[in-house]
């Protein structure tokens, strides 16, 4: 029963608690109260690594010649939590091209610069149900751009970044990715050259967007900057930190720098849920229930809001262009740790 005395005691405790919080540095105050337990995460990551390390199903992307030659056996996992702990296994220092996972962070930068409503109006957030580079989707979708995570919408999002030259736009994007990762990132020149020589399809998408008045800089220039952003090198640790920045309300948990606007995070995660694994996004939401983004380089980044992020790298892909091994690892770890956002168990409700 609540008596006046217990209420008073509770009130006093609240005051003590509040004043303790008030004396903490700003970054510590914003640390997540639901960051996961170390032992459980370690065990889940270790088991997933052992379980899938010999699984070689899928096939490297080959429409970008460089990617066809990446060692298919490479395999790395990194988890970074919102309270800055990390668990890594396998080829964690190998730098691979971020590819489409970059789209998430260019979207975040565009929202920071232009405001989320303007980005929503200029790009949209509807799934296409088609391949990531579909021309038909550009014709069919009412907005033409569809969403920021398919190629057409991503090229348009890149074109939205304010700059007076392509180089300025590229440098802003690269610096923003670096802030999210907590360290300087750089271009893998060979990937860029390989992709720039073979990206006629993306140039066609940009030209089509111009017809519909849905691209916001010179189309070929936008494709070039987009191709550079896809060629940024990351290892799984850097990628997981970029994800942990999203999970931590936009604040990098390592450097404590506010990189992404907190108010934009739910909208960015909604885009990842709608289209992060392209035409595999529905199956992913059904089975795993976490916002995620894949890249044809073999990386997948999944976000667990308030808790952390999981990045996995393994080059062989399925038909939709998503790393097979990365999907299996994330599904296993997320299942073990009750991370499915659609499940009441993810917030501790047991039955
Ligand atoms: N750079 C790649 C492309 O434009 C990115 C695609 C992807 O990772 N899904 O095709």
């Amino acid at each position: 029963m609540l008596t006046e005395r217990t209420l008073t005691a509770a009130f006093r405790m609240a005051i003590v608690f509040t004043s303790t919080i008030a004396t903490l540095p700003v970054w510590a105050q914003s640390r997540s109260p639901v960051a996961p337990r170390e032992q459980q995460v370690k065990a889940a990551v270790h088991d997933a690594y052992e379980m899938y390390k010999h699984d070689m199903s899928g096939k490297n992307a080959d429409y970008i010649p460089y990617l066809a030659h990446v060692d298919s056996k490479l395999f790395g996992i990194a988890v970074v939590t919102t309270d800055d702990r990390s668990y890594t296994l396998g080829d964690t220092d190998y730098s691979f091209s971020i590819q489409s996972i970059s789209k998430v962070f260019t979207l975040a930068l565009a929202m920071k610069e232009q405001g989320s409503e303007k980005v929503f109006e200029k790009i949209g957030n509807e799934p296409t149900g088609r391949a990531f580079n579909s021309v038909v989707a550009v014709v069919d979708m009412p907005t033409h751009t569809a969403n920021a995570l398919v190629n057409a919408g991503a090229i348009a999002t890149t074109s939205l970044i304010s700059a007076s030259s392509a180089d300025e736009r590229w440098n802003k994007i690269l610096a923003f990715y670096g802030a999210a990762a907590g360290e300087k990132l750089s271009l893998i020149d060979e990937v860029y050259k390989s992709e720039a020589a073979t990206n006629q399809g993306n140039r066609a998408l940009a030209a089509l967007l111009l017809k519909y008045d849905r691209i916001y800089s010179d189309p070929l220039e936008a494709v070039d900057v987009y191709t550079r952003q896809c060629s940024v090198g990351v290892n799984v640790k850097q990628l997981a930190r970029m994800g942990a920045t999203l999970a931590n309300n936009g604040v990098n948990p390592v450097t404590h720098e506010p990189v992404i606007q907190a108010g934009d995070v739910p909208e960015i995660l909604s885009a990842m849920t709608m289209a992060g694994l392209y035409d595999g996004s529905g199956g992913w939401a059904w089975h795993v229930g976490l916002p995620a983004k894949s890249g044809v380089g073999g990386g997948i980044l999944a976000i667990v809001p308030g808790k952390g992020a999981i990045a996995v790298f393994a080059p062989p892909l399925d038909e939709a262009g998503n790393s097979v091994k990365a999907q299996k690892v994330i599904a296993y770890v997320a299942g073990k740790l009750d991370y499915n956002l659609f499940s009441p168990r993810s917030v501790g409700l047991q039955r």
Side-chain angles (χ1 to χ4, degrees):
M1 201 177 77
L2 284 178
T3 61
E4 200 176 322
R5 190 185 301 172
T6 51
L7 275 177
T8 313
F11 185 64
R12 268 205 220 99
M13 270 174 65
I15 290 179
V16 172
F17 183 65
T18 314
S19 56
T20 311
I21 294 252
T23 57
L24 290 172
V26 174
W27 60 264
Q29 289 175 31
S30 60
R31 270 192 178 173
S32 170
V34 290
R37 296 243 307 279
E38 188 163 341
Q39 277 319 317
Q40 291 170 306
V41 178
K42 265 191 187 157
V45 169
H46 178 266
D47 292 353
Y49 184 82
E50 289 303 319
M51 211 171 341
Y52 298 116
K53 66 181 175 193
H54 299 302
D55 184 334
M56 290 310 294
S57 31
K59 187 170 156 295
N60 281 30
D62 57 7
Y63 74 98
I64 299 170
Y66 177 99
L67 297 179
H69 299 113
V70 173
D71 182 355
S72 307
K73 292 193 291 301
L74 286 164
F75 181 30
I77 309 178
V79 174
V80 174
T81 66
T82 45
D83 60 353
D84 183 22
R85 278 172 300 160
S86 51
Y87 314 98
T88 57
L89 257 183
D91 299 306
T92 48
D93 291 322
Y94 181 85
S95 190
F96 56 95
S97 55
I98 189 170
Q99 294 297 342
S100 280
I101 307 167
S102 67
K103 294 166 177 170
V104 172
F105 297 90
T106 300
L107 169 64
L109 177 57
M111 291 169 83
K112 192 172 184 174
E113 284 190 348
Q114 318 264 335
S116 67
E117 274 318 299
K118 188 164 166 198
V119 173
F120 181 70
E121 180 196 308
K122 293 204 172 291
I123 307 296
N125 192 35
E126 299 304 333
T128 63
R130 294 188 183 270
F132 61 81
N133 50 6
S134 171
V135 177
V136 175
V138 178
V139 177
D140 279 356
M141 296 296 289
T143 58
H144 307 293
T145 37
N147 64 69
L149 303 185
V150 291
N151 286 14
I155 295 166
T157 307
T158 300
S159 78
L160 267 180
I161 305 301
S162 62
S164 51
S165 69
D167 278 343
E168 187 189 341
R169 183 169 292 119
W170 156 241
N171 285 322
K172 264 179 142 175
I173 289 172
L174 184 63
F176 189 75
Y177 294 2
E183 60 188 272
K184 199 171 170 297
L185 299 175
S186 45
L187 185 82
I188 306 177
D189 205 44
E190 283 173 79
V191 176
Y192 170 64
K193 288 199 180 108
S194 180
E195 185 161 348
T198 52
N199 65 357
Q200 293 82 359
N202 285 336
R203 285 183 246 160
L205 293 176
L208 199 52
L209 289 176
L210 184 63
K211 164 182 147 82
Y212 295 115
D213 208 13
R214 294 288 287 179
I215 191 155
Y216 312 103
S217 74
D218 174 79
L220 288 182
E221 196 181 285
V223 172
D224 182 55
V225 176
Y226 163 84
T227 306
R228 288 192 241 180
Q229 79 177 42
C230 290
S231 309
V232 168
V234 283
N235 60 39
V236 274
K237 288 184 279 186
Q238 292 164 331
L239 190 59
R241 259 189 258 128
M242 293 172 85
T245 297
L246 271 167
N248 196 35
N249 249 345
V251 177
N252 185 308
V254 184
T255 63
H256 314 299
E257 183 188 347
V259 182
I260 295 165
Q261 300 198 124
D264 295 340
V265 170
E267 290 153 358
I268 296 166
L269 299 187
S270 84
M272 295 173 81
T273 305
M274 290 294 126
L277 270 72
Y278 308 113
D279 36 343
S281 300
W284 178 259
W286 179 284
H287 292 112
V288 185
L290 284 180
K293 184 73 203 83
S294 64
V296 288
I300 300 186
L301 174 64
I303 314 299
V304 195
K307 296 180 182 169
I310 313 171
V312 183
F313 167 63
L317 311 178
D318 66 11
E319 288 294 309
N322 303 316
S323 166
V324 177
K325 214 144 49 180
Q327 289 178 80
K328 290 179 180 172
V329 167
I330 296 169
Y332 178 84
V333 173
K336 275 276 162 203
L337 301 175
D338 277 334
Y339 279 169
N340 185 331
L341 285 195
F342 302 119
S343 165
R345 288 168 63 98
S346 70
V347 287
L349 194 61
Q350 300 292 340
R351 208 182 75 162

